[in-house]
Amino acid sequence: MTQSESKKYSAENIKVLEGLEAVRKRPAMYIGDTGKRGLHHLVYEVVDNSVDEALAGYCTQISVTFNPDGSVTVTDDGRGIPVDMHKEEKKPALEVVMTVLHAGGKFDKGSYKVSGGLHGVGVSVVNALSEWLVAEVHRDGKIYRQDYHRGGVNSKLTVVGKTRKTGTTVSFIPDGDIFSETHFEYDLIADRLRELAYLNKGLEITLTDNRKEEPVTDIFHFKGGLADFVRFLDEAAQPLHAKIITVERENTEVPVSVAVRYNAGYNENVLSFVNNINTIEGGTHLSGFRSALTRALNNYATRNNLIKAKRNEKVNLTGEDFREGLTAIISVKVAEPQFEGQTKTKLGNGEIKGLVDAIVYEGIQDYLEQNPSIGRKIIEKAVMAARSRHAARKARELIRRKSALGSSTLPGKLADCSNRDPALCELYLVEGDSAGGSAKQGRDRRFQAILPLRGKVINAEKARLDKLLSNNEIQTIITALGAGFGGGSDDINGGERSSSDFDIEKLRYHKLIIMTDADVDGSHIRTLLLTFFYRKMPEIITGGHVYLALPPLYKVRQGKKEIYAFDDAELERAQEKFKRDNKTQKIEIQRYKGLGEMNPEQLWSTTMDPERRTLIQVTIEDAVEASRTFQDLMGSDVEARRHFIETNAKFVVNLDI
Ligand code: 0RA
């Protein structure tokens, strides 16, 4: 290289760095945050590129490996990122892809690119946020390699060997200057890779952890695609029909793939994806699917005269009735998706609704004609759902009539607070009358309300809606919250919105704090409450209104000094501190078996005083995991439930992020 050439090279290099420097300055703009989520997003970004190559039909295997040095390696057997000279940039294409922000688009292969959300920011962003990154390409019989450092090049593109294969390997180690956490979590990555393998039938994805002495490997490879995904989601459920209904239309502009199965339960579990992204907020593809499902099933029922109404009864099957016990996945590929909504996970493209509707309608209709026994079972179940819906409406109206009379009909057990601004008010849902009594005495009555729960909380996963609504504790909670219940159905028959429908704007407390004993019964009640909220008022969880109180497990005392310990490690630390301070005096440990053992002042100071308490916010990060977790715990499968209760501690961890 001549003097001037090298100058020019470095000058261009600086220009490159300017682009990626923006990424290093404001990483959150590109990957959401610099914590655990953002860190894992780096891996997803690299894997997404390989999946794109698979979608284009050139790659069948992807592997992800965690290395002992903390780096991660992603390999695919695609065509390999091109290495020829890029005309405008005058650099190898690979280098451009790795060092120029948003260069990926210039190599558009006509596959389904993603826009919006955090996906598709480009592998150069990963490079920018890595202490080092190495790219290796197998192509044209040669192995090419280039090294990078914090987004800049560290070596020229070099041929390092010969090969008969094709493919791309990217290894990188996240930059500790950028990320607050640099440890990749196996389970988190495994969940996403498993999901990708379900969504891309036949694609084999291998995950390996070489960081421990005993390496761990999982191979995700599903010949059944979405049908296998439905089976996985419904592991703990009792299927209404063994065979899974599938509709697949691959060779069109908007490929659509759907898998549907009904189970004996009452809940709806529908996941939707656009270009492999989980559209948590739904969108036009989901609307199209729902309306097609309702119409296809209703037409089938009418045509085959399957609705057997009793005397004086009018059975009118709505979308809601066809969603009871429904587990379904819908996956579409859209060339230019418009993502909307709070979390940019709602598909906005209007044209997709009709397209999906037409494909699904025809597919389900064909399927039912060929599988009449499945059709009959589904209609029978929907008819029962319709009957239950009518009974539930009556129960709901009863609740509405009660609450319409104003605050004088607030439940008698509720000790309300004096403040009327919901944003400042908290409701403690307390297990048992005795703890409820202490909480009432210990609270700050200006903004803390107490609702003791005495009876059994009904299992929202197993109970029919009408039964759920006739349960005392559930009625009390609904009335105390003041936000109504149910409604919001978008079925084709117009829905039945009424003033008793759930309306989060009317929520009387913006913090709902579940306070239960730290024992099996306590965790059971807590889970039942969370199941109810999750299934019937998910808005209060996604709105961040639900919390768990964390009462101390121990009181450690030496003379007049007391320390509360919230776990065993804290207990140990407290004992050590006392021993250090005073070797001779006796240390007493009291283990709290229940909240009721604390007097009002103790309950206030440890668990209720906003200055000193610890609250755990309940969020639903991963809808797939959450629905499985709740099903495992609360569904009708006894073995799964036992297993769940045995590993109960994990439950809180899963929910609270
Ligand atoms: C652009 C063009 C071609 C392949 C790729 C990109 C490609 C990118 C990645 C990222 C990870 N793995 C990848 N594999 C391929 C195809 C060029 C050609 O051979 O025609």
Side-chain angles (χ1 to χ4, degrees):
M1 201 184 283
T2 66
Q3 177 81 37
S4 69
E5 262 172 340
S6 94
K7 236 192 211 152
K8 195 173 148 224
Y9 185 82
S10 55
E12 272 187 12
N13 203 20
I14 288 165
K15 201 178 87 197
V16 162
L17 275 174
E18 273 169 10
L20 291 187
E21 202 49 50
V23 178
R24 290 181 59 79
K25 266 202 189 120
R26 291 194 181 76
M29 274 198 31
Y30 300 86
I31 55 163
D33 63 52
T34 53
K36 190 163 132 184
R37 245 173 195 268
L39 175 77
H40 289 79
H41 188 79
L42 299 183
V43 181
Y44 303 149
E45 186 57 45
V46 179
V47 171
D48 279 351
N49 285 302
S50 298
V51 173
D52 276 350
E53 186 68 358
L55 282 176
Y58 299 102
C59 157
T60 60
Q61 284 181 325
I62 299 172
S63 75
V64 177
T65 306
F66 299 127
N67 305 311
D69 64 356
S71 65
V72 60
T73 300
V74 179
T75 299
D76 69 54
D77 63 351
R79 290 167 294 180
I81 299 178
V83 290
D84 48 330
M85 273 297 161
H86 189 274
K87 285 190 203 80
E88 289 148 47
E89 302 274 349
K90 298 192 182 64
K91 284 178 207 160
L94 173 68
E95 183 173 328
V96 177
V97 167
M98 289 297 170
T99 58
V100 180
L101 195 53
H102 289 307
K106 291 183 189 153
F107 297 89
D108 208 305
K109 293 162 285 175
S111 69
Y112 299 94
K113 285 283 170 226
V114 162
S115 72
L118 296 174
H119 291 262
V121 289
V123 70
S124 65
V125 167
V126 178
N127 190 18
L129 303 177
S130 296
E131 192 188 315
W132 57 256
L133 183 146
V134 177
E136 228 176 61
V137 170
H138 289 236
R139 221 182 136 91
D140 312 325
K142 299 191 186 84
I143 304 173
Y144 299 87
R145 172 182 171 141
Q146 189 166 30
D147 293 34
Y148 312 84
H149 170 77
R150 298 197 160 113
V153 296
N154 225 10
S155 76
K156 291 193 76 168
L157 180 69
T158 322
V159 174
V160 295
K162 287 187 193 169
T163 181
R164 302 168 84 155
K165 296 186 290 190
T166 64
T168 305
T169 298
V170 173
S171 301
F172 66 93
I173 192 158
D175 192 341
D177 294 349
I178 303 273
F179 292 95
S180 58
E181 199 179 325
T182 53
H183 182 85
F184 293 111
E185 207 175 288
Y186 188 90
D187 290 344
L188 205 58
I189 300 282
D191 285 345
R192 172 64 181 156
L193 297 184
R194 185 186 302 108
E195 186 174 279
L196 280 170
Y198 281 127
L199 291 168
N200 300 278
K201 184 161 66 179
L203 175 62
E204 182 177 304
I205 309 182
T206 307
L207 175 62
T208 306
D209 195 346
N210 282 335
R211 294 170 301 186
K212 298 181 223 138
E213 247 167 67
E214 285 278 312
V216 182
T217 294
D218 273 299
I219 299 174
F220 304 117
H221 184 204
F222 306 108
K223 295 200 178 77
L226 297 190
D228 286 343
F229 202 171
V230 164
R231 232 170 258 125
F232 171 75
L233 289 177
D234 256 2
E235 223 161 45
Q238 291 173 346
L240 200 67
H241 48 101
K243 222 166 127 189
I244 290 168
I245 305 172
T246 54
V247 177
E248 236 166 311
R249 189 76 71 82
E250 290 297 344
N251 300 319
T252 59
E253 202 175 302
V254 181
V256 175
S257 189
V258 166
V260 173
R261 187 164 68 177
Y262 283 88
N263 62 56
Y266 307 113
N267 291 303
E268 178 192 2
N269 203 357
V270 176
L271 299 179
S272 64
F273 296 84
V274 174
N275 301 354
N276 292 327
I277 297 167
N278 188 345
T279 37
I280 295 162
E281 297 173 273
T284 49
H285 56 324
L286 186 61
S287 306
F289 166 75
R290 284 182 159 176
S291 88
L293 183 73
T294 305
R295 245 179 333 112
L297 287 168
N298 246 328
N299 282 356
Y300 181 79
T302 315
R303 239 180 314 128
N304 294 285
N305 199 18
L306 291 174
I307 302 175
K308 305 265 187 292
K310 293 175 189 164
R311 245 179 2 122
N312 292 335
E313 189 190 37
K314 216 181 92 215
V315 180
N316 170 23
L317 302 179
T318 69
E320 200 181 332
D321 301 326
F322 287 120
R323 292 203 287 272
E324 227 182 53
L326 167 69
T327 299
I329 324 250
I330 161 162
S331 172
V332 300
K333 303 275 163 41
V334 179
E336 280 181 51
Q338 302 297 319
F339 289 110
E340 305 170 345
Q342 234 168 8
T343 55
K344 291 264 176 274
T345 57
K346 180 175 184 178
L347 185 68
N349 305 48
E351 73 280 9
I352 301 298
K353 180 171 188 231
L355 281 171
V356 171
D357 185 323
I359 293 172
V360 174
Y361 181 72
E362 198 193 313
I364 300 231
Q365 206 163 27
D366 287 353
Y367 195 96
L368 295 176
E369 294 302 340
Q370 283 156 30
N371 300 272
S373 70
I374 294 181
R376 191 168 31 78
K377 279 184 189 153
I378 295 172
I379 303 303
E380 274 169 16
K381 184 175 168 79
V383 168
M384 293 215 290
R387 293 200 171 112
S388 150
R389 180 165 50 84
H390 288 296
R393 196 206 299 154
K394 286 194 187 117
R396 201 156 61 208
E397 273 163 7
L398 201 70
I399 291 178
R400 181 172 56 104
R401 271 203 299 280
K402 279 188 193 168
S403 56
L405 298 172
S407 62
S408 61
T409 52
L410 281 172
K413 298 195 295 175
L414 175 74
D416 210 1
C417 52
S418 52
N419 197 306
R420 285 281 160 263
D421 179 0
L424 305 175
C425 294
E426 308 177 346
L427 176 65
Y428 273 82
L429 298 161
V430 186
E431 171 187 2
D433 275 342
S434 116
S438 292
K440 281 181 191 177
Q441 288 176 52
R443 68 176 171 149
D444 184 331
R445 60 173 59 242
R446 286 172 301 177
F447 67 95
Q448 291 181 319
I450 310 293
L451 183 64
L453 298 174
R454 188 173 358 187
K456 269 188 74 152
V457 180
I458 194 169
N459 185 343
E461 189 79 23
K462 275 178 88 178
R464 266 236 145 90
L465 203 53
D466 48 333
K467 226 177 128 213
L468 187 70
L469 287 174
S470 59
N471 177 268
N472 250 330
E473 305 303 300
I474 294 293
Q475 282 189 12
T476 310
I477 292 169
I478 294 172
T479 317
L481 298 191
F485 181 85
S489 66
D490 59 351
D491 57 67
I492 56 167
N493 293 329
E496 297 173 15
R497 260 195 181 283
S498 76
S499 57
S500 66
D501 288 346
F502 183 78
D503 179 3
I504 198 154
E505 298 294 318
K506 295 196 184 127
L507 192 63
R508 299 180 61 245
Y509 315 90
H510 282 192
K511 276 203 175 83
L512 310 175
I513 303 165
I514 298 172
M515 187 159 75
T516 53
D517 292 340
D519 59 10
V520 177
D521 282 350
S523 69
H524 195 204
I525 291 174
R526 182 175 66 212
T527 312
L528 286 166
L529 286 171
L530 290 178
T531 303
F532 171 66
F533 291 147
Y534 168 68
R535 284 299 186 192
K536 303 300 172 196
M537 305 180 172
E539 296 94 329
I540 64 169
I541 296 186
T542 50
H545 297 297
V546 183
Y547 296 82
L548 305 179
L550 199 66
L553 282 183
Y554 305 98
K555 183 167 79 176
V556 193
R557 195 157 61 100
Q558 188 179 47
K560 284 206 168 111
K561 286 190 192 141
E562 290 176 348
I563 298 178
Y564 293 100
F566 290 82
D567 58 33
D568 288 346
E570 283 190 21
L571 171 67
E572 214 159 283
R573 277 200 295 277
Q575 285 174 286
E576 277 161 17
K577 180 179 159 38
F578 279 150
K579 274 183 213 144
R580 255 181 280 125
D581 295 351
N582 182 339
K583 280 194 184 51
T584 50
Q585 196 174 17
K586 197 171 155 232
I587 300 171
E588 284 172 62
I589 300 168
Q590 183 189 353
R591 190 190 155 93
Y592 289 120
K593 287 195 208 71
L595 298 161
E597 290 175 30
M598 272 182 269
N599 64 38
E601 164 53 28
Q602 286 171 330
L603 200 55
W604 162 256
S605 65
T606 60
T607 318
M608 298 180 73
D609 177 5
E611 300 288 319
R612 285 176 284 182
R613 71 183 176 193
T614 306
L615 293 184
I616 303 168
Q617 191 171 36
V618 177
T619 66
I620 301 171
E621 270 285 337
D622 185 338
V624 181
E625 258 323 283
S627 72
R628 271 175 64 79
T629 304
F630 277 89
Q631 208 170 54
D632 282 359
L633 176 62
M634 291 305 166
S636 33
D637 187 318
V638 176
E639 194 43 52
R641 188 159 65 236
R642 180 175 316 130
H643 172 76
F644 185 89
I645 289 171
E646 279 163 9
T647 52
N648 202 298
K650 198 170 160 258
F651 172 55
V652 174
V653 176
N654 275 345
L655 271 174
D656 312 327
I657 294 157

